[in-house]
């Protein structure tokens, strides 16, 4: 059926074509050794998730580059990272307003210069803000509460879009720069080796190229009162779902985090008040999920949701308290262990986008793959032609002329 998706035909899957990895086993242990020597650029890294990531990864030998607008917090964090046991000492901060293209360009250039390897191995787009206006009261200054748009005296001001600018435009800037700089880290990507096992024969080391995006539960579900924030995080998730189908052509693996509410500076106090007594995500679980994606270089095109620690028992979600989580015991005491043997705070999301696609996506990705293959052959033919000219017929003539001149 040419003009529609065939729902029972697995040939419409392009998972292998886009190099998407199998589902993530979120309970399997992982090795942090691969963090040592990685240069990781983090936007919004002076506080919240970004700072927590930086501390964790610096402990294991990563080189951390932070861009943020909070200069005092950023500088203090860098000093802290340099004092950590196991730290590489190659940690740097630079002021960066992610809504300003020039700031981000400068940050990436600095990161490449400061890196001991003169390259960037991973980029984490974690800069973000939320709406702090009071939607419920109808107060102006919030996207949901337009006011005075019928004034005849002056043109009405545009709606406030600061959240959208930081959370989506800023992330798009970061992503665009990552797509340029990651392939220039001086190494060979594991994704490249899947197509060409001889790619590392030129002596280049195997280096990671990882883009980690940070969306939110608001990228998966509506968040009333946070319209602009919700739109921005849906946009980040849309960016991830589209980009993971093409970033492999540059040897880049793209993954995403979708945390639930965590007590960080980005969450307004009103939201925390509404969540009082209810389950929230722990920042340790967010860091754990991010670290799993960062260290396991086989994970490609996957999204992880981090929520409250829960277990499925008898078809229902049961919230797990800290004591029970620490014990790691499954079940409800009556032999019902549900679908998970121990409490979990992490699940996969949007894992099946490319297992069944419609005709446009199928053909576009196939054409993209074909173009990449042809480009590879063209480069090979160029190399062979250069060898022929230098060492073949052209080179042979030059060698004979040189020998003749030497005899004379």
């Amino acid at each position: 059926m040419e003009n529609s998706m065939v729902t029972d035909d697995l040939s419409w899957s392009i998972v292998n074509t886009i190099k998407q990895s199998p589902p993530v086993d979120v309970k399997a242990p992982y090795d942090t050794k691969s963090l040592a020597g990685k240069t990781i650029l983090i936007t919004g890294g002076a506080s919240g998730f970004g700072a927590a990531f930086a501390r964790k990864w610096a402990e294991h030998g990563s080189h951390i580059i932070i861009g943020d607008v909070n200069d005092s917090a950023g500088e203090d964090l860098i000093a802290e990272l340099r004092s950590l046991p196991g730290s590489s000492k190659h940690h740097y901060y630079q002021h960066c307003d992610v809504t300003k293209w020039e700031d981000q360009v400068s940050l990436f250039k600095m990161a490449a210069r400061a890196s001991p390897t003169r390259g960037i191995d991973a980029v984490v787009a974690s800069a973000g803000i939320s709406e702090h206006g009071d939607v419920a009261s109808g107060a102006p200054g919030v996207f949901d509460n337009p006011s005075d748009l019928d004034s005849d005296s002056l043109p009405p001001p545009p709606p406030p879009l600061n959240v959208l600018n930081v959370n989506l435009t800023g992330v798009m800037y970061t992503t665009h720069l990552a797509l340029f700089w990651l392939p220039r880290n001086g190494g060979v990507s594991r994704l490249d080796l899947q197509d060409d096992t001889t790619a590392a024969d030129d002596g280049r080391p195997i280096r990671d190229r990882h883009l980690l995006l940070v969306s939110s539960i608001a990228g998966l579900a509506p968040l009333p009162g946070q319209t602009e924030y919700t739109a921005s995080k849906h946009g980040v998730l849309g960016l991830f779902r589209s980009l993971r189908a093409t970033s492999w052509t540059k040897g880049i693996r793209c993954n995403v985090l979708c945390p639930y509410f965590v007590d960080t500076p980005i969450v307004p106090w009103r939201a925390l008040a509404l969540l009082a007594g209810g389950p929230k995500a722990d920042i340790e679980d967010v860091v754990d999920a991010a670290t799993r994606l960062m260290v396991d270089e086989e994970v490609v095109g996957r999204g992880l949701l981090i929520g409250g620690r829960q277990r499925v028992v008898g078809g229902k979600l049961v919230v797990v308290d800290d004591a029970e989580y620490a014990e790691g015991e499954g079940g409800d005491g009556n032999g019902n262990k549900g679908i998970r043997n121990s409490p979990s705070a992490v699940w996969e999301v949007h894992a099946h986008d490319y297992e069944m696609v419609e005709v446009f996506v199928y053909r576009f990705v196939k054409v993209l793959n074909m173009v990449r293959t042809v480009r590879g052959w063209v480069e090979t033919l160029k190399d062979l032609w250069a060898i022929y000219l230098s060492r073949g017929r052209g080179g042979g003539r030059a060698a004979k002329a040189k020998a003749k001149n030497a005899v004379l």
Side-chain angles (χ1 to χ4, degrees):
M1 185 182 298
E2 282 275 300
N3 58 354
S4 66
M5 182 176 70
V6 182
T7 57
D8 59 352
D9 185 356
L10 295 180
S11 66
W12 285 81
S13 170
I14 56 172
V15 167
N16 293 332
T17 304
I18 65 172
K19 317 294 189 214
Q20 186 179 17
S21 61
V24 179
D25 183 353
V26 297
K27 295 184 180 179
Y30 56 79
D31 191 345
T32 58
K33 289 181 181 178
S34 68
L35 285 172
K38 278 187 179 179
T39 297
I40 305 175
L41 184 154
I42 306 174
T43 63
S47 63
F49 294 145
F53 298 157
R55 290 186 178 97
K56 177 72 172 181
W57 300 337
E59 287 179 353
H60 295 280
S62 294
H63 316 304
I64 304 298
I65 312 295
I66 291 175
D68 205 300
V69 293
N70 190 337
D71 295 338
S72 60
E75 295 289 358
D76 289 346
L77 178 58
I78 291 301
E80 177 188 339
L81 298 184
R82 290 174 178 169
S83 67
L84 290 173
S87 170
S88 74
K89 313 303 180 186
H90 293 283
H91 310 303
Y92 302 94
Y93 171 82
Q94 181 167 300
H95 180 92
C96 178
D97 179 346
V98 294
T99 67
K100 296 180 179 178
W101 171 248
E102 296 80 5
D103 279 16
Q104 291 217 44
V105 169
S106 177
L107 176 66
F108 274 78
K109 287 182 177 180
M110 183 274 284
R113 290 194 306 268
S115 169
T117 63
R118 296 299 183 265
I120 303 169
D121 303 307
V123 173
V124 184
S126 67
I129 61 174
S130 63
E131 297 170 78
H132 288 269
D134 189 352
V135 174
S137 69
V142 181
F143 181 85
D144 292 28
N145 297 335
S147 63
D148 300 326
L149 298 184
D150 57 352
S151 172
D152 294 329
S153 57
L154 293 172
L161 296 177
N162 294 337
V163 174
L164 198 66
N165 290 334
V166 172
N167 294 3
L168 187 54
T169 302
V171 171
M172 296 293 284
Y173 285 167
T174 304
T175 299
H176 191 67
L177 287 161
L179 293 174
F180 177 84
W181 283 103
L182 288 174
R184 289 164 172 78
N185 67 354
V188 176
S189 165
R190 295 184 189 278
L191 291 176
D192 290 335
L193 291 176
Q194 290 184 22
D195 295 326
D196 182 5
T197 57
T198 66
D201 289 351
D202 59 4
R204 288 181 296 164
I206 298 174
R207 300 199 65 86
D208 195 13
R209 299 176 192 167
H210 186 202
L211 172 61
L212 180 59
L213 301 174
V214 180
S215 182
S216 163
I217 185 66
L220 297 162
L223 196 60
Q226 290 281 316
T227 303
E228 196 182 347
Y229 181 81
T230 301
S232 70
K233 291 302 183 179
H234 269 69
V236 172
L237 199 57
L239 170 65
F240 159 72
R241 295 175 69 183
S242 180
L243 190 62
R244 65 174 167 174
T246 58
S247 64
W248 59 272
T249 62
K250 295 178 172 61
I252 297 172
R253 59 191 189 97
C254 180
N255 297 298
V256 70
L257 296 172
C258 297
Y260 189 61
F261 291 99
V262 180
D263 189 359
T264 63
I266 196 175
V267 181
W269 68 266
R270 293 180 181 85
L272 292 175
L274 290 173
L275 289 166
K280 295 187 291 292
D282 287 346
I283 196 165
E284 292 83 1
D285 292 326
V286 180
V287 173
D288 180 71
T291 302
R292 179 182 298 280
L293 296 177
M294 188 60 67
V295 303
D296 190 345
E297 298 177 7
E298 302 295 331
V299 178
V300 181
R302 291 291 170 177
L304 297 180
L305 166 68
I306 305 94
R309 293 163 177 171
Q310 303 176 46
R311 179 189 296 115
V312 178
V313 178
K316 297 181 179 180
L317 278 176
V318 177
V319 177
V320 178
D321 59 29
D322 291 340
E324 186 180 3
Y325 184 84
E327 292 175 4
E329 296 292 335
D332 60 357
N334 298 315
N336 298 317
K337 292 193 175 183
I339 61 171
R340 295 183 176 88
N341 293 326
S342 62
S344 179
V346 183
W347 300 272
E348 276 218 58
V349 292
H350 286 304
H352 309 294
D353 283 351
Y354 293 97
E355 291 182 4
M356 190 72 65
V357 298
E358 46 78 45
V359 65
F360 172 82
V361 174
Y362 182 87
R363 288 178 177 171
F364 177 83
V365 173
K366 290 294 184 180
V367 168
L368 191 66
N369 190 52
M370 180 181 66
V371 169
R372 187 168 184 261
T373 301
V374 170
R375 187 178 298 155
W377 277 109
V378 169
E379 294 301 319
T380 300
L381 291 174
K382 285 181 179 178
D383 290 343
L384 290 174
W385 181 246
I387 293 171
Y388 172 74
L389 291 178
S390 63
R391 300 184 184 181
R393 185 177 65 178
R397 288 176 178 173
K400 289 179 180 179
K402 184 177 182 180
K404 181 177 179 180
N405 290 334
V407 171
L408 293 175

